Amino acid sequence: MLAFLGAIICIIASVHPAGTAAPAAPPAAADNDSAAAALLPAADKGLGALHGPAEALASAGPRLPGGPPPPPLFSRFVCTPLSAECPVTGPGTGPGPEELLALRSAAAQLRRTALEQKERIRMDQETIRELTGKLSRCEGGLRTAPPAAAVPPVPAAGLRAAPRPGTMGHPPAEPPAVRELEEAVRALQDRIDRIEQELPARANGSSPTAPALARDALHTKMEQLEEQLLSKILTLQKERQAASTDRSQQQHDIEKELNSLQNRVTELEHGPPGYSPPDAFKVTIPVQNNYMYARMKKSLPELYAFTICMWLKSKALAGLGTPFSYSVPSQANEIVLLEWGTNPLELLINDKVAQLPLSLKDKAWHHVCVAWTTRDGKWSAYQDGEQRGAGENLASWHAIKPQGVIILGQEQDTLGGRFDATQAFVGELAQFGVWDHMLAPAEILGLANCTSHLQGNVIQWDDQAVEVFGGASKGGFAACEEGRKA
């Protein structure tokens, strides 16, 4: 084993720098064998071959009084080849166990060092092959493809083997292969640096790459689609609004046409109408719902007093409902005559309420009048020409607003609509008239007993001034004859 180790490794010896008992160095011209012979004493071929004479070891460095000798100090290395033959051993001259152990340890350390250097050289070669491939791709990409990311520089010093522990503070001589690797890495670094400097200039001077063009085209297409979608949504909203308006108008026209056809059918079934004066008609609402009603074409002006009279015949089982209602844009209950549920008959002015002591549930014809003035809110109520109730403070000093809608048979929750079936009137209505002052009790009595034909000076009962909707119809009516029959 010693012959094999002597052929491939050097045994490290230390020579103390001070000129103590160590022998003098051989001449420079002497070969390695003579240098080793000069360094080692003739009588000692043991551990002196590794660490020098025992005297040199003993005299190296300071020594504490009474303590063990200090460890040796090393200054340089001398490689001494071993003889191919094993030394002749004899009694007292052979190496001891400690020296053999030191030799084995040194040989194992050198073997590990050699293997580590070999492994590092292999890793460096792989790194160079990888950098060469990346560099080739970078150079090829500058001619045809968009700029590639630069390969980060690899410090050449990282390839140099660091000093390993156990080699006495100095690495072995660097082999030529490592220096060649370092030079190749430096050359690759220089080429990569030049490519990185050329990339911005080429990128600025060249046209946009294909991925960039595709991305821009995609963004443009998305913006166009968003604009088209927004335009389509706006168009649909406008069409929906127009359709809603058209639907309301169409519904109004259809109801008007249906009413005209129903009136014609009624005429054909019962013969021609039995009245010639324009006011000799009545409006019939046969069913309690929220779509049968009559509408006055004319509205009211601004009023500070009024009298409203009419003939009515209720067919309701419970409350009378709403014989008439007047609504304006700012107030749905500007003037309302209403009997709802178990409540008594009420007169509402500007949503203020006065209860009327009238009884109209006997399914007979009755003449009803209500009068009001803004001064102190005075009001009075008449049934069949007789005053049944009166009071004050009903919407005092309020002026009746103009440009509203008069509906017969329904209570308006909004201007001209939003009817409630539970508040609808069921029966017959006739001779609805409006005056702009409070009529005298004698005038109201003349209207009730048919001795007077006084027409309202604001709203008159005329066939051309009344529209019916939803199935309500018009028929002949003679007030006094109907009253006598009742």
Side-chain angles (χ1 to χ4, degrees):
M1 183 182 68
L2 290 178
F4 172 73
L5 292 176
I8 63 173
I9 63 174
C10 294
I11 300 176
I12 302 172
S14 174
V15 180
H16 195 274
T20 56
D31 57 4
N32 200 23
D33 293 337
S34 60
L39 286 170
L40 297 176
D44 191 1
K45 296 295 182 179
L47 285 177
L50 288 173
H51 303 291
E55 294 83 356
L57 296 175
S59 62
R63 177 179 299 179
L64 295 177
L73 299 176
F74 306 103
S75 61
R76 61 190 180 88
F77 304 124
V78 177
C79 294
T80 305
L82 295 176
S83 173
E85 298 179 357
C86 293
V88 179
T89 59
T93 60
E98 296 179 356
E99 294 178 350
L100 291 176
L101 181 60
L103 287 173
R104 291 191 182 95
S105 298
Q109 181 64 36
L110 291 174
R111 183 184 293 108
R112 285 194 297 270
T113 302
L115 293 176
E116 289 175 359
Q117 288 184 355
K118 181 178 179 182
E119 179 65 20
R120 183 165 292 276
I121 289 172
R122 185 186 63 79
M123 294 173 62
D124 292 343
Q125 288 175 346
E126 293 179 357
T127 302
I128 289 175
R129 283 194 295 271
E130 182 180 357
L131 292 176
T132 304
K134 290 182 179 180
L135 182 61
S136 299
R137 289 193 297 271
C138 290
E139 291 176 343
L142 286 176
R143 293 189 294 270
T144 58
V151 179
V154 180
L159 299 177
R160 184 188 301 273
R164 307 299 299 175
T167 55
M168 301 185 180
H170 294 274
E174 190 177 63
V178 175
R179 289 194 299 270
E180 293 176 359
L181 291 175
E182 292 179 358
E183 292 175 359
V185 171
R186 291 192 191 97
L188 290 174
Q189 278 185 290
D190 295 339
R191 293 171 65 184
I192 291 173
D193 292 340
R194 287 196 300 270
I195 291 174
E196 289 177 347
Q197 294 174 1
E198 293 175 359
L199 283 179
R202 294 191 181 188
N204 294 334
S206 60
S207 60
T209 60
L213 289 174
R215 184 170 58 254
D216 295 341
L218 181 60
H219 289 169
T220 304
K221 188 66 175 178
M222 290 177 64
E223 292 176 356
Q224 293 176 355
L225 291 175
E226 289 177 356
E227 293 177 358
Q228 294 177 3
L229 181 60
L230 180 60
S231 176
K232 189 65 175 177
I233 290 174
L234 295 177
T235 303
L236 290 175
Q237 290 178 350
K238 292 179 180 179
E239 291 178 354
R240 186 189 307 168
Q241 294 175 357
S244 177
T245 304
D246 294 342
R247 187 164 52 251
S248 300
Q249 184 63 31
Q250 289 175 359
Q251 183 177 1
H252 179 75
D253 295 340
I254 291 172
E255 289 179 353
K256 186 175 181 180
E257 189 67 22
L258 287 175
N259 292 329
S260 177
L261 292 174
Q262 187 172 3
N263 293 334
R264 182 60 179 165
V265 170
T266 303
E267 292 177 2
L268 293 175
E269 290 177 350
H270 302 285
Y275 64 91
S276 54
D279 62 341
F281 72 97
K282 62 182 177 182
V283 173
T284 302
I285 302 176
V287 181
Q288 187 178 35
N289 52 42
N290 62 350
Y291 56 85
M292 287 186 180
Y293 63 97
R295 175 172 175 163
M296 306 300 296
K297 293 182 179 180
K298 190 176 178 181
S299 182
L300 297 179
E302 186 177 37
L303 298 175
Y304 298 93
F306 66 80
T307 300
I308 299 176
C309 294
M310 62 188 306
W311 285 90
L312 62 84
K313 180 181 180 180
S314 174
K315 297 181 180 180
L317 299 177
L320 182 68
T322 308
F324 74 89
S325 63
Y326 175 67
S327 175
V328 295
S330 59
Q331 177 57 264
N333 297 325
E334 188 70 3
I335 306 175
V336 181
L337 184 63
L338 169 68
E339 186 180 39
W340 182 31
T342 59
N343 298 322
L345 187 64
E346 297 175 339
L347 174 64
L348 282 73
I349 299 178
N350 192 30
D351 213 20
K352 306 299 187 297
V353 181
Q355 295 184 353
L356 309 182
L358 305 181
S359 178
L360 307 171
K361 300 178 183 179
D362 55 357
K363 299 182 181 181
W365 281 100
H366 295 280
H367 187 264
V368 177
C369 287
V370 290
W372 170 87
T373 179
T374 186
R375 183 172 183 175
D376 296 328
K378 293 182 179 180
W379 62 272
S380 57
Y382 297 83
Q383 178 177 336
D384 298 329
E386 297 180 6
Q387 181 174 322
R388 298 289 183 91
E392 296 181 351
N393 299 321
L394 176 60
S396 302
W397 311 109
H398 173 72
I400 302 300
K401 298 180 179 63
Q403 305 303 319
V405 177
I406 300 176
I407 298 293
L408 304 180
Q410 297 284 353
E411 193 273 332
Q412 307 173 63
D413 286 337
T414 59
L415 182 64
R418 197 176 172 184
F419 306 139
D420 186 351
T422 62
Q423 298 175 343
F425 173 82
V426 182
E428 298 173 325
L429 302 168
Q431 298 293 324
F432 178 85
V434 180
W435 291 260
D436 61 0
H437 59 277
M438 296 183 72
L439 294 177
E443 293 175 317
I444 295 175
L445 180 60
L447 291 172
N449 59 19
C450 301
T451 59
S452 172
H453 297 282
L454 184 65
Q455 292 285 334
N457 64 348
V458 177
I459 299 293
Q460 299 85 28
W461 185 249
D462 190 280
D463 184 27
Q464 301 298 322
V466 181
E467 295 179 300
V468 291
F469 300 92
S473 63
K474 294 179 182 179
F477 175 75
C480 293
E481 292 181 5
E482 293 286 348
R484 284 193 291 268
K485 289 178 183 179

